[in-house]
Amino acid sequence: MLLFILVGLLVHLVFFGSIFDIYFTSPLVHGMSPQHIRLPPPAKRLVLFVADGLRADTFFELDDTDSPRAPYLRDIIETRGSWGISHTRVPTESRPGHVALIAGFYEDVSAVAKGWKENPVEFDSVFNESKYTWSWGSPDILPMFAKGASGEHIFTHCYSAESEDFAAEDATKLDTWVFEHFKEFLISARSNQTLLKKLNEEKIVFFLHLLGLDTNGHAHRPGSREYKENIRKVDEGIKELSFLIEEFFGNDNKTAYVFTSDHGMTEWGSHGAGHPSETLTPLLVWGAGVNYPVKIQPQHLQDTFLNKWNLEGLKRIDVNQADVSPLMASLIGIPFPLNSVGVLPVEYLNNSDLFKAESMLTNALQILEQFRVKMRQKKESTFSFLFSPFSLLTDSEHLDILRKTRSYIHSEKYKEAMALSKTLIDLALRGLTYYHTYDRFFLGISVFSGFSGWISYVILIILKTNTGILKEPSKLDKQKSSIIKYGFFILGFLIIFFLSCQSCPWTYYIYCLLPLPVWHAVSKEFQIFYSLMTYLQTIPFSKVLGFLFVTLIGVEMLVLSFFYRLVLTIGLFAFAFWPVGAQICTQNKATSLSWILLCMLMAVFPLMPVVGRKPNITLVTSAGLLALLYSLACILAIWKTKNRSVEDTNIKLHVVQMLILVVAIAMVSTTHSSLAIKQGLPLVNQIISWTILASSLVLPLCSSTTIFQRLLSVFLSFMSTYLLLSTGYEALFPLVLSCLMCAWIYIEQETLVKYGVYMKQKLNSIDFSCSSNITPFRMLNLDDIRRSFFLVFFIITAFFGTGNIASINSFDPASVYCFITVFNPFIMGGLIMWKILIPFVLVMSAFETVQISAQISSKSLFLIVLVISDIMSLHFFFLVRDYGSWLDIGTSISHYVIAMSMTIFLILLSGLAHILTTKKINPWRKNKYHFT
């Protein structure tokens, strides 16, 4: 079983990683030559302000008094600058957003593995192409643009990582630090001739990264007073610095300014996915070489923001986030970053038509150079008879477009030249995408082959070892077996030869070779298929068709629950009345009634608001008190049982766990009270919270292994941790879920009567540690498929029922504030992940009990669960999209990631639940002394 779990885990990790190789690999190519604009630029220097986490709507809209939140920047919009919305892409995180702004390309998702801090690949940027760049801000952002830069011309000034504290009394101090240090920098330059000489050079950049808004958004939400006040502070800081810069450089009108954001933020203070609140960011450009406001009426846009923002009379120029990079390069006359895929937004430029046409041509040449390198690389790594070039942009085609463009520029037909350059850019970008996704179909087929082979193999194992379909041991002719074996061996050799000749990455070998051993294992069990077909002939066709139809409906319902949480409510209502249809009510009315009521109560949770609700510590406290009452009732029930001498120690342990639960309630209340008055996270609370978390995995192992005593111990330990990670109604969820799981255990025992496998031994007396010796395991029946379906359904309910949505941005960072408030993506992500997994552990522990009471091998029932979850994952594999709106793209990625993660965690949690229920530590064991 252990070997099977390890193999299954490895296979699923490969399937999980395949999505990033197929859809989200690095778009970078190397070997291009820099492209220069041949005309003098309008600006000598550029100042880039990036307000991290600033939403477009919060910035542009007026406050309650119809006054702008940023008066100075609003005045620039209305009198001397150009503005619009910058559309970001998924994932809406700080590092990818800054890479898009400064380097001009959209980073692949693999960078998340390094916390968006280190460079997974080397890339060119505006900073690298500049003469000098000075930057101030976060240690998470600035170093990545200095590391790997050519030469020592990028200078960074960062505050400490500990300053990024969500519980800080005033997060605007992060922005104040940047403004103050920039002012000190200018003051020091007056007495430092070396620095002054550098500052008077051309093609220099000042980068001010302002993290206060992102920190306040996470801590207090974007609709909070703190977030909106931070916008005003940023506006005041930019106003002061703008006057200082102009004065320092003698009002030479050679400074260009860009103000924007890397990403937005959801109403609940998170980001990462493709919701408009995350992908719409402000863009404001003013100064040297920038157009003044253009009055226009009306504007035909797809949204109604202009009326809400009272800006309907001023032209809005929207761009993609990567377009900001060529705009900055054009303003100060540096080469466009080599890897940039941004398209120069010429409407922002206030320069001659010749300059605009030359800039657009340079932009086209820079992107065309990437296309040609990408095509050459793909052509060199592909057999000539298999290579299919991008037909819309052949060598002759792009040479003809370039010739015509230069001819138009020479003839002063600048609009026609810019139109042709734009056409060439569009074709080159399409060609880049074509070659970037060249192997997608091939890889998709390989992964599908491996996925379907794995599912087929698991089904065969179930049929072979846990059903009576195979009457005789399967025998395969030795000669045929050898032919099949050598056939797979030769096929594998051909695949390796084919891939090595094309210099494919090592991951391609895994995706292409993995199906071979899987399908070889299937071929060895092919006799089972014949036995299955023979067996099905004895069953009426209508019953077979009905079974397949019900199975299909069940799986589709599970898939739909990712899109519509209401499906879970409908499913739970159907579950509630299942005992009535199965005629179990007549056997045990009390158990059936409890099941019905708890299913209906659980059905309420998917209807509750998703993350984004305001913290409600009163609900968390109430959940803790209810958990105490429930635990007290269970302990009283245990106290009344026999064998008191054995259980005294265990009851003392449960009492200790209840006291820990009381402490957890106190920690939640005092921590959030301290944060509310901006006193930060008390160190004592932090230490106690981490201690409770650490003890939650140890204390259950000290309790008795009898079923309900061990389950109660697991519940108490994990409930304490869950309370520390809760901010609202989700704290009630584990309590209701545990009660429902208890009812499930009892009602499953009632179903056994129908199949004549009723256990005479009572549940109360079953010991987890002796479960394998209770009775010989039986063969599977159709009711076991239903049990497996219940488990998958409860696992999905455990995820969505706590307020999560199927998106990577659906997790509230405030839930970890009892443990940590200083920004640390890995620790915070790990805590949030553990919060998600706790309900899973409760369900899996109950499932372990169901397996014992139903006399089923844990392996056999788990294999059915694995088949159901794998079919779901395969479903989402085909639904992944990298086109359409960014909300659709982000959602499709999230669905597959969550579905595959559930499958992987089911494999791991199966082992964890087995340990939590069967293993025992006895710290109170007394040593026996023998005297002779």
Side-chain angles (χ1 to χ4, degrees):
M1 180 62 179
L2 179 61
L3 178 62
F4 183 85
I5 289 176
L6 292 175
V7 172
L9 184 61
L10 180 63
V11 168
H12 284 85
L13 287 173
V14 171
F15 294 152
F16 181 82
S18 69
I19 195 70
F20 300 106
D21 258 335
I22 296 174
Y23 291 95
F24 307 104
T25 51
S26 174
L28 297 187
V29 289
H30 299 283
M32 293 81 66
S33 302
Q35 302 295 324
H36 297 266
I37 302 172
R38 295 180 293 179
L39 297 173
K44 293 177 63 176
R45 68 198 68 88
L46 175 86
V47 184
L48 172 62
F49 301 98
V50 177
D52 202 304
L54 177 59
R55 289 168 50 141
D57 55 351
T58 313
F59 173 74
F60 287 120
E61 69 188 9
L62 303 177
D63 62 18
D64 296 335
T65 63
D66 288 334
S67 300
R69 293 198 173 95
Y72 176 70
L73 294 175
R74 181 75 172 206
D75 179 68
I76 290 173
I77 291 173
E78 296 176 349
T79 60
R80 54 194 177 95
S82 295
W83 72 284
I85 290 177
S86 171
H87 295 264
T88 72
R89 288 194 180 183
V90 175
T92 46
E93 296 288 349
S94 289
R95 179 193 163 101
H98 282 87
V99 169
L101 287 169
I102 299 165
F105 72 93
Y106 300 105
E107 196 169 27
D108 64 297
V109 185
S110 65
V112 75
K114 298 197 174 184
W116 308 115
K117 293 181 182 180
E118 296 295 325
N119 293 9
V121 287
E122 298 300 330
F123 56 84
D124 194 19
S125 70
V126 169
F127 297 170
N128 189 46
E129 295 292 350
S130 68
K131 183 77 173 179
Y132 297 106
T133 292
W134 290 271
S135 56
W136 294 264
S138 168
D140 297 329
I141 298 298
L142 304 190
M144 71 181 181
F145 291 102
K147 182 181 178 182
S150 57
E152 296 182 0
H153 64 285
I154 300 177
F155 308 98
T156 61
H157 307 272
C158 306
Y159 39 73
S160 65
E162 289 72 24
S163 300
E164 301 175 17
D165 190 345
F166 294 145
E169 184 177 353
D170 182 14
T172 59
K173 67 181 182 181
L174 298 175
D175 300 339
T176 304
W177 187 98
V178 172
F179 293 137
E180 292 299 325
H181 279 70
F182 182 78
K183 286 190 286 184
E184 292 173 7
F185 170 77
L186 291 182
I187 293 171
S188 67
R190 295 184 186 277
S191 58
N192 186 332
Q193 291 302 313
T194 304
L195 177 58
L196 188 61
K197 184 180 178 181
K198 290 180 179 179
L199 289 174
N200 283 303
E201 296 273 6
E202 295 183 349
K203 303 176 181 178
I204 66 171
V205 177
F206 301 113
F207 171 42
L208 284 76
H209 176 240
L210 308 170
L211 188 63
L213 282 161
D214 187 72
T215 305
N216 269 320
H218 285 307
H220 305 291
R221 312 286 197 276
S224 66
R225 178 187 58 81
E226 290 84 356
Y227 185 86
K228 294 173 182 177
E229 183 61 29
N230 202 153
I231 295 176
R232 194 175 303 277
K233 290 285 183 67
V234 166
D235 180 71
E236 292 170 356
I238 292 174
K239 179 181 179 180
E240 183 181 6
L241 291 193
S242 298
F243 286 120
L244 285 174
I245 291 168
E246 293 300 325
E247 180 187 359
F248 183 88
F249 291 105
N251 295 305
D252 61 356
N253 295 321
K254 288 293 183 179
T255 307
Y257 301 87
V258 176
F259 174 80
T260 187
S261 176
D262 54 346
H263 57 76
M265 190 171 288
T266 61
E267 293 292 345
W268 52 91
S270 66
H271 51 83
H275 191 272
S277 63
E278 301 166 89
T279 60
L280 302 183
T281 58
L283 175 62
L284 175 56
V285 190
W286 71 98
V290 180
N291 256 334
Y292 282 80
V294 177
K295 294 186 177 181
I296 184 173
Q297 194 87 16
Q299 299 185 64
H300 301 288
L301 299 168
Q302 295 181 347
D303 55 61
T304 58
F305 292 139
L306 289 177
N307 293 331
K308 296 178 182 178
W309 300 340
N310 199 22
L311 289 169
E312 59 270 17
L314 298 174
K315 186 175 183 180
R316 190 181 103 190
I317 308 168
D318 290 1
V319 301
N320 290 321
Q321 193 172 51
D323 300 342
V324 177
S325 176
L327 173 61
M328 294 190 294
S330 175
L331 287 171
I332 56 175
I334 60 175
F336 292 175
L338 296 176
N339 304 112
S340 172
V341 294
V343 180
L344 176 65
V346 292
E347 291 176 287
Y348 276 88
L349 298 179
N350 181 17
N351 214 315
S352 65
D353 287 341
L354 173 61
F355 182 85
K356 293 178 183 178
E358 286 286 353
S359 297
M360 281 296 293
L361 177 59
T362 304
N363 193 185
L365 288 170
Q366 173 258 326
I367 295 177
L368 179 65
E369 184 76 3
Q370 293 183 73
F371 165 78
R372 294 172 66 182
V373 170
K374 192 82 169 179
M375 179 180 68
R376 184 173 66 249
Q377 289 177 350
K378 183 54 63 178
K379 190 173 183 178
E380 289 173 355
S381 63
T382 307
F383 290 117
S384 56
F385 64 91
L386 292 176
F387 181 70
S388 176
F390 183 62
S391 59
L392 297 179
L393 191 60
T394 60
D395 289 342
S396 59
E397 180 72 21
H398 82 250
L399 288 172
D400 184 53
I401 293 175
L402 289 175
R403 180 184 58 79
K404 287 181 179 179
T405 303
R406 292 194 174 96
S407 176
Y408 282 138
I409 293 174
H410 185 73
S411 304
E412 298 184 357
K413 296 180 180 179
Y414 301 122
K415 289 186 177 179
E416 290 83 352
M418 285 189 284
L420 268 181
S421 295
K422 183 66 168 61
T423 300
L424 183 57
I425 289 172
D426 291 340
L427 288 173
L429 289 175
R430 289 173 63 184
L432 274 173
T433 302
Y434 173 80
Y435 288 118
H436 185 60
T437 60
Y438 193 83
D439 298 327
R440 177 171 298 175
F441 180 77
F442 161 68
L443 291 176
I445 290 296
S446 299
V447 172
F448 170 73
S449 176
F451 223 137
S452 57
W454 169 259
I455 294 173
S456 300
Y457 177 70
V458 175
I459 292 174
L460 287 176
I461 293 299
I462 294 171
L463 294 173
K464 178 181 179 181
T465 60
N466 298 285
T467 67
I469 291 175
L470 191 63
K471 302 299 182 183
E472 298 178 0
S474 56
K475 296 179 181 179
L476 191 64
D477 184 84
K478 288 186 178 180
Q479 185 176 358
K480 288 183 179 180
S481 178
S482 298
I483 293 173
I484 293 172
K485 181 180 178 180
Y486 287 118
F488 276 104
F489 180 79
I490 293 170
L491 184 58
F493 178 79
L494 292 175
I495 289 173
I496 293 173
F497 175 77
F498 177 81
L499 295 176
S500 60
C501 287
Q502 299 190 98
S503 304
C504 292
W506 64 271
T507 51
Y508 282 34
Y509 291 83
I510 295 176
Y511 303 141
C512 295
L513 293 175
L514 180 62
L516 297 184
V518 174
W519 280 107
H520 179 248
V522 172
S523 68
K524 289 166 65 176
E525 309 293 344
F526 211 75
Q527 179 65 34
I528 301 173
F529 277 117
Y530 292 108
S531 300
L532 177 62
M533 296 306 298
T534 303
Y535 174 76
L536 290 178
Q537 290 175 2
T538 64
I539 302 174
F541 180 72
S542 58
K543 286 189 176 182
V544 175
L545 197 63
F547 171 76
L548 294 175
F549 178 76
V550 170
T551 303
L552 179 64
I553 292 296
V555 172
E556 288 302 313
M557 185 173 75
L558 295 174
V559 171
L560 278 175
S561 67
F562 279 67
F563 298 92
Y564 312 103
R565 296 164 76 231
L566 178 63
V567 172
L568 295 174
T569 298
I570 296 171
L572 285 166
F573 269 106
F575 283 9
F577 294 100
W578 158 67
V580 178
Q583 298 180 346
I584 299 173
C585 289
T586 55
Q587 297 168 210
N588 193 322
K589 292 182 180 180
T591 301
S592 299
L593 184 60
S594 300
W595 167 264
I596 292 171
L597 292 176
L598 288 167
C599 279
M600 289 184 172
L601 186 58
M602 180 62 70
V604 175
F605 283 93
L607 299 177
M608 299 291 282
V610 296
V611 287
R613 70 256 169 191
K614 293 181 180 180
N616 190 331
I617 304 305
T618 303
L619 275 178
V620 180
T621 304
S622 301
L625 294 175
L626 288 172
L628 283 172
L629 290 175
Y630 171 71
S631 304
L632 184 60
C634 293
I635 290 175
L636 289 174
I638 294 170
W639 182 259
K640 293 178 181 179
T641 59
K642 297 179 180 180
N643 202 5
R644 185 82 46 85
S645 60
V646 176
E647 295 175 346
D648 280 347
T649 303
N650 293 297
I651 289 175
K652 290 177 183 177
L653 175 64
H654 295 324
V655 172
V656 170
Q657 289 181 296
M658 289 178 67
L659 292 175
I660 292 174
L661 187 58
V662 172
V663 173
I665 296 170
M667 290 302 100
V668 172
S669 180
T670 56
T671 297
H672 285 272
S673 296
S674 178
L675 296 177
I677 58 176
K678 298 185 178 178
Q679 294 298 313
L681 170 61
L683 179 61
V684 173
N685 289 31
Q686 188 176 23
I687 294 172
I688 292 174
S689 296
W690 281 107
T691 303
I692 292 173
L693 174 62
S695 68
S696 65
L697 288 171
V698 178
L699 289 180
L701 301 179
C702 300
S703 67
S704 168
T705 51
T706 54
I707 282 182
F708 289 112
Q709 289 196 50
R710 178 53 65 92
L711 291 179
L712 175 61
S713 185
V714 170
F715 165 74
L716 281 168
S717 285
F718 288 117
M719 187 67 190
S720 300
T721 304
Y722 200 86
L723 286 178
L724 294 171
L725 293 167
S726 298
T727 59
Y729 73 82
E730 81 273 19
L732 294 164
F733 185 82
L735 176 60
V736 177
L737 181 66
S738 296
C739 293
L740 179 60
M741 292 298 98
C742 187
W744 185 31
I745 292 168
Y746 273 107
I747 205 163
E748 284 293 353
Q749 194 182 36
E750 299 298 329
T751 62
L752 299 177
V753 178
K754 292 177 58 178
Y755 291 91
V757 288
Y758 176 70
M759 287 182 60
K760 293 182 180 179
Q761 192 174 10
K762 293 182 178 180
L763 282 172
N764 290 338
S765 60
I766 298 176
D767 194 311
F768 275 118
S769 61
C770 305
S771 58
S772 59
N773 301 321
I774 291 174
T775 185
F777 294 126
R778 61 176 175 81
M779 292 295 185
L780 296 176
N781 53 49
L782 290 180
D783 214 35
D784 295 321
I785 298 177
R786 191 262 311 153
R787 291 186 179 93
S788 302
F789 178 81
F790 272 27
L791 172 66
V792 178
F793 189 92
F794 286 138
I795 288 289
I796 295 175
T797 303
F799 180 78
F800 293 109
T802 54
N804 299 315
I805 54 176
S807 173
I808 56 177
N809 71 353
S810 71
F811 310 111
D812 186 358
S815 61
V816 303
Y817 288 170
C818 284
F819 296 91
I820 185 172
T821 55
V822 176
F823 177 69
N824 187 312
F826 288 116
I827 294 178
M828 289 181 162
L831 288 169
I832 291 173
M833 184 62 69
W834 184 236
K835 178 185 178 181
I836 295 168
L837 293 180
I838 284 174
F840 290 10
V841 173
L842 296 177
V843 174
M844 291 301 297
S845 298
F847 187 63
E848 189 82 12
T849 309
V850 169
Q851 289 176 164
I852 295 171
S853 65
Q855 304 172 20
I856 313 168
S857 164
S858 59
K859 175 184 175 181
S860 59
L861 211 55
F862 182 73
L863 289 178
I864 302 175
V865 171
L866 202 58
V867 169
I868 296 172
S869 56
D870 278 344
I871 293 173
M872 283 177 57
S873 300
L874 189 60
H875 198 124
F876 286 119
F877 178 81
F878 288 108
L879 292 177
V880 173
R881 298 170 59 182
D882 64 347
Y883 60 89
S885 74
W886 286 107
L887 179 60
D888 294 337
I889 295 170
T891 301
S892 69
I893 299 169
S894 298
H895 285 172
Y896 181 74
V897 168
I898 291 170
M900 280 302 301
S901 298
M902 282 184 177
T903 305
I904 292 170
F905 282 126
L906 277 176
I907 297 174
L908 295 173
L909 290 175
S910 175
L912 177 59
H914 183 74
I915 293 171
L916 284 174
T917 53
T918 60
K919 304 302 179 183
K920 181 175 174 60
I921 300 173
N922 195 352
W924 301 283
R925 180 168 43 193
K926 297 180 180 179
N927 293 326
K928 295 182 179 180
Y929 298 95
H930 300 275
F931 297 95
T932 56

